[in-house]
Amino acid sequence: MWFDGYQDAPDRTAQRLSPDGRWYLTGDAGMRDDDGYFFFSSHDDDIIIMSGYRVGPFEIESVLSAHPAVLESAVSETPDELRGQVVEAYVVLAGNYTGNAALVTELQHLVKNRYAAHAFPRRIHFVESLPKTSSGKVQCYVLRKERKQLGEHGDQR
């Protein structure tokens, strides 16, 4: 089946097709290991650009998931006057853990120490669940929409 374009969005279609129109450029990023296996790492519109640094949400989510209090997480960008964008995390807590300021600080330090000092989440929201597609992919656009409804700072702890 041929991809004709995004419905009612010719500008968006033009951004994703190669100049000759033959190829749909997915924007997926990944790597191939020495055995020839491909591994997905992110999508180009998921990348957070903060003070000139390119930050991948997947790496931060992986570090957060190493903490015993974190059942699952999603990382997104949020606008910031000084840095352009900053990292914002949505965390579903495991077991009997309670979201509080001490846990926020602990998670921020975890990311600073295990990934990169500049890439820690400036805002962390503790949520009951993450919105997902039927295939289980987190819908970050829903989280961003909910954040806007809550106000820029939301329920940051």
Side-chain angles (χ1 to χ4, degrees):
M1 174 176 263
W2 173 248
F3 174 75
D4 290 326
Y6 293 99
Q7 184 175 349
D8 301 323
D11 292 342
R12 187 171 178 206
T13 300
Q15 292 172 356
R16 286 290 177 196
L17 292 178
S18 64
D20 63 6
R22 287 187 61 208
W23 301 99
Y24 173 73
L25 308 174
T26 66
D28 292 330
M31 61 164 277
R32 189 171 87 179
D33 70 9
D34 293 337
D35 296 322
Y37 291 98
F38 289 92
F39 296 89
F40 172 82
S41 62
S42 66
H43 194 74
D44 66 359
D45 58 2
D46 291 340
I47 298 298
I48 300 164
I49 301 178
M50 180 176 56
S51 298
Y53 290 100
R54 294 173 57 85
V55 178
F58 177 77
E59 290 82 2
I60 299 169
E61 292 166 357
S62 296
V63 171
L64 290 172
S65 71
H67 193 285
V70 177
L71 181 61
E72 63 180 339
S73 66
V75 170
S76 183
E77 84 292 337
T78 190
D80 183 79
E81 286 183 29
L82 180 63
R83 296 173 189 90
Q85 295 177 330
V86 293
V87 176
E88 182 168 49
Y90 298 84
V91 174
V92 177
L93 296 173
N96 295 324
Y97 287 94
T98 303
N100 55 41
L103 183 55
V104 166
T105 300
E106 196 173 324
L107 293 172
Q108 289 172 329
H109 284 291
L110 184 68
V111 173
K112 287 179 186 180
N113 293 325
R114 291 198 186 171
Y115 179 57
H118 66 275
F120 72 94
R122 298 311 200 269
R123 298 180 182 132
I124 295 179
H125 304 277
F126 297 106
V127 296
E128 294 295 318
S129 64
L130 298 172
K132 297 180 182 175
T133 65
S134 58
S135 65
K137 183 178 177 188
V138 175
Q139 297 174 308
C140 284
Y141 77 92
V142 173
L143 295 170
R144 287 189 287 268
K145 181 179 173 184
E146 289 174 0
R147 180 193 70 227
K148 288 180 183 178
Q149 290 173 346
L150 292 169
E152 282 304 305
H153 299 290
D155 62 347
Q156 179 184 345
R157 297 178 193 171

